[in-house]
Amino acid sequence: MNRSMAVVGLGYVGLPVAVSFGKKHEVVGFDINVNRIDELKKGYDRTNEIKGDDLKKANIKFTSDKNDLQNTDFIIVAVPTPINKNNQPDLTPLLAASETVGSVLTQGTIVVYESTVYPGATEEDCVPILERASGFESGKDFFVGYSPERINPGDKEHTFETITKVVSGQTPEVLEIIAEVYGSVVKAGVHKAANIKVAEAAKVIENTQRDVNIALMNELAVIFDKVGVNTKDVLEAAGTKWNFLKFSPGLVGGHCIGVDPYYLTHKAEELGHHPEVILAGRRINDNMATYIASSIIKEMLKKGISVVNNTVNVLGLTFKENCPDLRNTKVIDVIRELQEFGLNVRVHDAEADPTEAKNYYDIDLKSDNDLFKTDVMVFAVPHEKYKKNNKKYLDLVNDKGIIFDIKGIVENQYLKEEQTIWYL
């Protein structure tokens, strides 16, 4: 491989990509966040995805100067693709990155997008910006490809190098180059998609499938709660069948499962199709925070525990376990609902950055020493620290208190006789 590489966007996705390539190749790592670049130069990754030693060993030139991209001819774009408050795709970061790349594009360059998008976005939304900013013609002066990211924040087993990489290219020749470049570092190998739209669609349905399945589990959890049986027990029994799919209920947030389906539904509705199953799943999952909060209030009232001005401890704020990522967490929705009922909510998180929690949600994270005994404890996120220290945190619940276990991590042997526990 004799390509000169760059990665644009050094977040949860872009940094692992840059580091993997940086083990074998010289890489320009570009991000518009100057503070982020300064931290990476010092060997510190606040996302906890890359260890300091691995960061320093990788051959990466970290920069916020777009002119450094001019010396590269294989540029990977890995910027966020969020949704707005109306659950519509927000391509602002992606289009801005395309503008930046286009302004320094040199002839013969291949630009590969990894950001999650709806089918058609690369060629219909990004390419025109690259052409306008560069003055070049796509398919002649420069080329594009799409290789959907599959980074799973906090997962040290399924990494960039160990997951099969789907690749696609504008032409058969470009596809072969892209496959060779990724194949040089991805040990699991590559899958050559038929075209760019196929690769875009494959990515967006991966998380849509998970979203719909989790929505089914959430709806079943609500039903079983009314029936009076434990959802976890039901799923364990059903799971003994060989072809039962093992999903579990929970809060669906983050930058993937809670976002990607809206990219697909947006495109579908633009084309005149109303996607009923996908949107129904989204409604169920988006409403789970309200359901959990109202269940907490009901259980408190049933046990004669006062609500207004009482205090609740919530363990976990991030969108998933063992990861500091706070983006699009649904735990904040539970917290806001509880606050509206008049409860004081004290939040602890074993992984999150207190500064980010304050900036994102105006939440003052508490330390272990700041937590005191309360009538109610909510295990919201199953961080390993909470799993390993069940007894320590359960000791912070009054003798007649209630524990709300959203992800089923509480060990019953540590419960006191008059304490009660509620499972999702």
Side-chain angles (χ1 to χ4, degrees):
M1 190 200 90
N2 55 359
R3 287 273 166 173
S4 179
M5 298 199 57
V7 177
V8 174
L10 300 175
Y12 282 90
V13 172
L15 184 62
V17 171
V19 168
S20 292
F21 278 109
K23 293 176 182 177
K24 293 188 175 183
H25 313 287
E26 187 176 333
V27 179
V28 173
F30 174 86
D31 199 289
I32 59 173
N33 187 331
V34 177
N35 291 333
R36 173 74 166 156
I37 292 297
D38 288 342
E39 289 177 349
L40 293 175
K41 284 180 177 178
K42 295 173 183 175
Y44 170 63
D45 170 30
R46 64 171 53 250
T47 69
N48 292 337
E49 290 299 302
I50 306 297
K51 294 179 180 178
D53 287 345
D54 291 334
L55 201 54
K56 291 175 181 177
K57 289 177 184 176
N59 188 4
I60 305 173
K61 178 183 179 180
F62 293 112
T63 180
S64 289
D65 184 354
K66 69 177 183 179
N67 291 317
D68 289 327
L69 299 173
Q70 287 180 322
N71 299 319
T72 64
D73 59 7
F74 193 98
I75 301 175
I76 297 172
V77 178
V79 297
T81 43
I83 52 175
N84 62 24
K85 62 181 180 180
N86 298 317
N87 292 330
Q88 294 295 310
D90 179 6
L91 294 179
T92 304
L94 186 66
L95 301 183
S98 298
E99 182 77 34
T100 297
V101 170
S103 69
V104 293
L105 205 60
T106 55
Q107 283 194 311
T109 296
I110 296 175
V111 181
V112 180
Y113 289 89
E114 290 214 5
S115 306
T116 302
V117 291
Y118 45 74
T122 298
E123 293 158 296
E124 296 164 15
D125 297 299
C126 298
V127 165
I129 293 176
L130 291 172
E131 289 183 323
R132 186 178 67 248
S134 65
F136 294 147
E137 182 181 341
S138 173
K140 178 184 175 184
D141 301 314
F142 72 92
F143 302 89
V144 295
Y146 183 80
S147 180
E149 61 90 0
R150 282 176 167 170
I151 301 294
N152 187 24
D155 189 339
K156 305 306 179 187
E157 179 183 354
H158 303 99
T159 64
F160 176 77
E161 296 171 25
T162 62
I163 306 171
T164 300
K165 199 79 171 79
V166 174
V167 295
S168 63
Q170 195 169 14
T171 67
E173 294 77 19
V174 168
L175 173 59
E176 290 304 317
I177 295 172
I178 293 172
E180 180 191 357
V181 170
Y182 278 102
S184 70
V185 295
V186 178
K187 300 170 186 174
V190 299
H191 172 86
K192 299 173 185 177
N195 54 55
I196 289 175
K197 277 189 180 180
V198 167
E200 291 169 325
K203 168 58 186 177
V204 81
I205 70 165
E206 290 173 12
N207 285 324
T208 299
Q209 182 189 62
R210 286 185 55 77
D211 192 45
V212 170
N213 278 285
I214 295 170
L216 173 61
M217 296 300 107
N218 278 332
E219 187 159 59
L220 292 174
V222 173
I223 294 171
F224 295 148
D225 188 30
K226 294 180 183 297
V227 170
V229 295
N230 187 314
T231 303
K232 185 179 179 182
D233 291 342
V234 174
L235 293 179
E236 283 181 356
T240 59
K241 189 182 180 189
W242 69 92
N243 60 353
F244 186 81
L245 302 178
K246 295 187 178 182
F247 289 89
S248 59
L251 293 167
V252 183
H255 199 61
C256 293
I257 300 178
V259 171
D260 294 358
Y262 286 121
Y263 273 77
L264 187 57
T265 58
H266 167 81
K267 189 65 176 179
E269 290 180 328
E270 194 178 69
L271 296 172
H273 175 74
H274 182 70
E276 296 184 27
V277 173
I278 299 171
L279 287 176
R282 281 280 74 235
R283 283 193 297 274
I284 291 170
N285 287 339
D286 278 347
N287 287 331
M288 286 309 292
T290 299
Y291 171 75
I292 290 170
S294 63
S295 296
I296 291 171
I297 300 302
K298 287 177 184 177
E299 294 299 316
M300 290 177 69
L301 293 175
K302 281 197 292 188
K303 202 164 184 182
I305 297 174
S306 63
V307 174
V308 178
N309 293 327
N310 206 338
T311 299
V312 172
N313 286 328
V314 173
L315 300 181
L317 180 61
T318 59
F319 90 89
K320 65 176 289 187
E321 65 273 19
N322 307 320
C323 169
D325 196 347
L326 291 167
R327 295 174 300 171
N328 196 34
T329 176
K330 295 303 178 183
V331 179
I332 191 63
D333 295 342
V334 177
I335 293 168
R336 297 294 185 236
E337 290 277 345
L338 295 177
Q339 289 172 332
E340 286 188 15
F341 279 106
L343 282 163
N344 299 315
V345 183
R346 299 173 70 80
V347 185
H348 179 283
D349 194 285
E351 299 286 342
D353 184 320
T355 302
E356 288 190 0
K358 184 68 175 176
N359 292 339
Y360 283 179
Y361 304 114
D362 197 26
I363 292 290
D364 293 309
L365 290 181
K366 307 301 180 184
S367 67
D368 282 347
N369 295 331
D370 292 329
L371 296 177
F372 53 78
K373 272 200 171 186
T374 60
D375 290 318
V376 177
M377 171 77 80
V378 182
F379 284 81
V381 183
H383 290 314
E384 197 63 31
K385 181 176 180 179
Y386 303 147
K387 287 183 178 180
K388 289 182 177 179
N389 297 283
N390 255 203
K391 187 177 186 305
K392 170 185 173 180
Y393 290 103
L394 289 172
D395 283 343
L396 293 170
V397 184
N398 289 328
D399 290 350
K400 297 182 179 180
I402 312 175
I403 295 96
F404 292 86
D405 187 5
I406 294 176
K407 293 299 289 185
I409 66 168
V410 172
E411 298 180 36
N412 288 355
Q413 69 261 35
Y414 296 129
L415 297 179
K416 296 183 176 66
E417 186 176 346
E418 294 188 73
Q419 287 178 340
T420 55
I421 186 164
W422 179 92
Y423 295 101
L424 179 61

